Amino acid sequence: MSGSAFLRLGATLVSGVIFGIGLSLSGMLDPARVRGFLDVTRDWNPSLAFVLGGAVVVSALGVLVTRRMQRPLLDDAFHLPQNRVIDRRLIVGSAIFGVGWGLVGLCPGPAVASLSLGLPATMLFVVAMLAGMALHDRLPRIGARRQGEGALALRADGGRLSER
């Protein structure tokens, strides 16, 4: 393994450890806390808003720093998403994600971090989540088209709704 690849893996490991500690420290491994945030009709728990706010601040600072850089420290180029279209597939996927998050109180990051607690329900959730991801990738798409083609789309850069 080259020195640069070793440094990238090290940075990934350190980032994952920091993320896991942050999830644990903030209580976000507890699905009841997440459901308490999502349930605004009863005893609302705003703690997740502070976690999300912290994430937005750190991400915004990261974006500002990377805009001044020619290239990342441990790679040859930045790998940023090219697709900026908000289409039906994204909206449906987001809705399904939201339903799952609201029902269970876990999303992928906290679910994987919660495996450290050894709870059977979390283990089952992660296995089911991985199975759903694998199933999605292997199912033939009915009337398969290129992503975004033929869908009503709204560009994320402020463009208007249009037929693609």
Side-chain angles (χ1 to χ4, degrees):
M1 178 182 303
S2 72
S4 144
F6 183 74
L7 286 174
R8 280 196 300 271
L9 287 175
T12 301
L13 178 65
V14 169
S15 298
V17 168
I18 291 170
F19 180 67
I21 290 171
L23 285 172
S24 297
L25 189 62
S26 66
M28 292 301 117
L29 299 184
D30 180 5
R33 183 172 291 204
V34 174
R35 284 191 303 270
F37 172 77
L38 296 173
D39 184 2
V40 295
T41 62
R42 286 184 275 204
D43 205 15
W44 184 61
N45 180 346
S47 59
L48 182 57
F50 292 103
V51 174
L52 294 172
V56 169
V57 168
V58 169
S59 182
L61 290 173
V63 167
L64 290 174
V65 168
T66 57
R67 284 186 178 167
R68 296 175 181 261
M69 298 172 66
Q70 295 294 322
R71 66 177 195 81
L73 296 175
L74 302 175
D75 205 347
D76 295 329
F78 289 104
H79 304 280
L80 302 173
Q82 299 302 309
N83 183 0
R84 298 183 56 87
V85 174
I86 298 172
D87 60 8
R88 194 176 346 220
R89 181 178 173 180
L90 175 66
I91 293 168
V92 170
S94 299
I96 292 170
F97 176 88
V99 167
W101 190 31
L103 289 173
V104 180
L106 289 171
C107 63
V112 171
S114 295
L115 290 174
S116 65
L117 302 174
L119 301 172
T122 302
M123 291 178 195
L124 181 61
F125 175 81
V126 170
V127 168
M129 178 182 70
L130 293 172
M133 292 161 70
L135 182 64
H136 169 269
D137 290 344
R138 282 153 186 76
L139 283 178
R141 295 202 179 118
I142 298 171
R145 324 177 188 153
R146 287 183 303 143
Q147 183 176 341
E149 185 178 307
L152 286 177
L154 177 65
R155 290 193 342 236
D157 62 2
R160 292 191 358 223
L161 194 62
S162 62
E163 182 74 32
R164 288 184 43 126

